[in-house]
Amino acid sequence: MSNQIRPFRIEIPQADLDDLADRLSRVRWPGQLPGEDWRRGVPVAYLRELAGYWRDGYDWRGQESRLNGFPQFMTEIDGQDIHFLHVRSEVPGALPLLLTHGWPNSFVEFVELIGRLTDPGAYGADPGDAFHVVVPSVPGFGFSAPPRGTGFTVARVAGIWAELMRRLGYERYGTQGGDLGAYVAPAVARVAPEQVVGVYVISGLGFPTEEDLPTMTEDERVAFADLQTQDWMNGVDHHALLRAAPQTFAYGWHDSPVGALAWMTQKFKEFSVTGELPDRTIDRDLLLTNVSLYWLTGTFGSSSWPMYDSTGFGWPEGQKAVPTGVYSGPPGFRRLAERDNTIVHWPQGNPGGHHFVAMEQPDHVAADLRTFFAPLR
């Protein structure tokens, strides 16, 4: 295994961008099925407008330049080429912080958050509450190599992350994650409890199981019933779909940019707690940068391994090796989360209308991260 860390720069060939534009100009559009609004999926009129903007208004080269403004690197760990951002703060004593993105997202999830963490003074916060930020791309996502065989696990990713932080020279650091990252971030603490000072999870800890339902209070039952009505609980079951036939669906996502855009749009709409359209909750260019990254790296199929290498769905449980904080309690319940976690931070009322809240509310997420990690530095 080589310990070499190599500088990396995004340089998408122009031919790939021309091919994308050509495909977007030759879409074979289906008719609109009967049914109101989004009841049958992404409406044709909505997607046509979004695809037209992707083709004629969106500027990949501008976004590529923005992404290249973050120092990026590649290194090989556990036989995997790992792509990561490493943005050091100029503030002495800054705490290293490892951010893990979710699915179907990428390191793009954190582009609005990074500056607020590395240079809080520039955003009106205490300059001393700064972080050195490390953002790896999960294997199979974006520029990180896909797993070469079956049986790849969250625990294996956590081991890679711990080695990455060791290789960067960090002996104490925090971990953060939401969605897939909510499984990975606690697993890093289990792998490296002497190095991790705290785990911060966006949400999802303490979700009730069937066995918990009889013990729930009346208030918990009301909150749980409300959760059952939300889009993200009733949309396309991507876990089951990608367990069953990921290769089959990957053909469409890999060959048709509109098929890929429709899939991403469907999921980002379902992941909106408020039911808002995806590009009204999250910046449209940021959404399209994430879709473009998947398209241009051909990773719609390889990023599905958390689902196809599983036998069922389970909510993240967390860990008790180090203190845990959350950004938002729902959909979980603190009483249940405390069975598997030492919860020291569970605020009420943090704003957020989307599952990927760091893209929607970077100021509030940065502020809450500073609050949680302040006593742990």
Side-chain angles (χ1 to χ4, degrees):
M1 179 183 67
S2 171
N3 288 334
Q4 182 184 14
I5 294 176
R6 315 181 300 275
F8 179 83
R9 185 174 176 82
I10 304 172
E11 295 177 327
I12 299 299
Q14 185 59 42
D16 291 356
L17 301 180
D18 293 343
D19 174 71
L20 173 58
D22 179 62
R23 290 169 185 261
L24 288 171
S25 70
R26 295 184 295 104
V27 179
R28 184 171 178 243
W29 289 101
Q32 177 64 55
L33 300 178
E36 298 178 2
D37 198 32
W38 289 66
R39 289 176 63 87
R40 300 290 181 265
V42 184
V44 175
Y46 179 87
L47 200 68
R48 287 192 77 141
E49 193 279 328
L50 186 58
Y53 177 75
W54 194 14
R55 183 191 64 216
D56 299 324
Y58 172 77
D59 177 16
W60 166 260
R61 289 300 187 203
Q63 295 298 317
E64 183 182 69
S65 177
R66 182 190 185 191
L67 297 178
N68 280 330
F70 299 111
Q72 298 175 63
F73 304 89
M74 296 285 287
T75 193
E76 182 184 335
I77 304 175
D78 192 14
Q80 296 285 139
D81 268 341
I82 301 297
H83 163 261
F84 65 98
L85 279 59
H86 183 200
V87 189
R88 288 186 59 85
S89 174
E90 295 183 2
V91 176
L95 177 70
L97 181 60
L98 176 66
L99 309 179
T100 304
H101 63 79
W103 176 98
N105 220 319
S106 63
F107 71 92
V108 171
E109 181 176 343
F110 301 117
V111 297
E112 295 286 353
L113 185 64
I114 293 171
R116 291 165 168 82
L117 296 176
T118 58
D119 187 12
Y123 295 87
D126 185 341
D129 289 336
F131 298 89
H132 302 307
V133 175
V134 179
V135 187
S137 294
V138 173
F141 291 70
F143 298 106
S144 282
R148 296 178 180 179
T150 59
F152 209 81
T153 64
V154 163
R156 189 167 170 184
V157 176
I160 292 172
W161 279 195
E163 168 59 21
L164 174 62
M165 297 301 277
R166 186 203 65 78
R167 193 170 294 182
L168 293 174
Y170 293 135
E171 297 180 355
R172 296 180 71 256
Y173 55 90
T175 68
Q176 181 274 348
D179 190 80
L180 175 59
Y183 299 83
V184 176
V188 178
R190 290 194 291 270
V191 169
E194 299 301 317
Q195 285 71 49
V196 176
V197 300
V199 173
Y200 184 92
V201 175
I202 292 297
S203 65
L205 296 178
F207 198 82
T209 64
E210 289 292 329
E211 292 75 19
D212 293 320
L213 299 183
T215 70
M216 292 173 68
T217 67
E218 186 58 33
D219 287 345
E220 289 173 341
R221 290 176 186 274
V222 170
F224 185 64
D226 179 63
L227 289 173
Q228 301 295 97
T229 68
Q230 296 183 10
D231 282 353
W232 61 271
M233 290 288 287
N234 297 287
V236 176
D237 187 348
H238 54 272
H239 292 271
L241 183 154
L242 293 173
R243 278 197 303 273
Q247 187 68 67
T248 299
F249 295 104
Y251 294 111
W253 299 325
H254 191 81
D255 189 60
S256 167
V258 163
L261 180 63
W263 173 241
M264 282 287 200
T265 303
Q266 175 79 31
K267 296 316 300 180
F268 270 73
K269 170 65 164 59
E270 290 175 353
F271 285 173
S272 173
V273 178
T274 62
E276 283 281 359
L277 298 178
D279 58 342
R280 292 184 184 173
T281 307
I282 297 171
D283 177 76
R284 172 177 280 204
D285 282 353
L286 204 58
L287 284 171
L288 288 174
T289 298
N290 188 58
V291 178
S292 298
L293 184 66
Y294 272 73
W295 173 264
L296 295 168
T297 58
T299 50
F300 280 96
S302 62
S303 65
S304 302
W305 70 260
M307 274 70 77
Y308 68 67
D309 261 354
S310 67
T311 57
F313 175 73
W315 290 92
E317 293 182 353
Q319 52 74 48
K320 279 201 168 184
V322 301
T324 293
V326 301
Y327 178 81
S328 173
F333 298 88
R334 180 166 185 165
R335 177 178 65 84
L336 301 179
E338 286 177 335
R339 295 180 301 195
D340 301 301
N341 300 269
T342 304
I343 304 289
V344 300
H345 181 78
W346 187 284
Q348 302 293 323
N350 269 342
H354 202 276
H355 184 62
F356 296 123
V357 70
M359 301 175 85
E360 179 206 4
Q361 301 282 353
D363 285 318
H364 291 287
V365 173
D368 206 56
L369 279 163
R370 290 192 293 266
T371 299
F372 169 65
F373 280 107
L376 303 175
R377 289 178 177 270

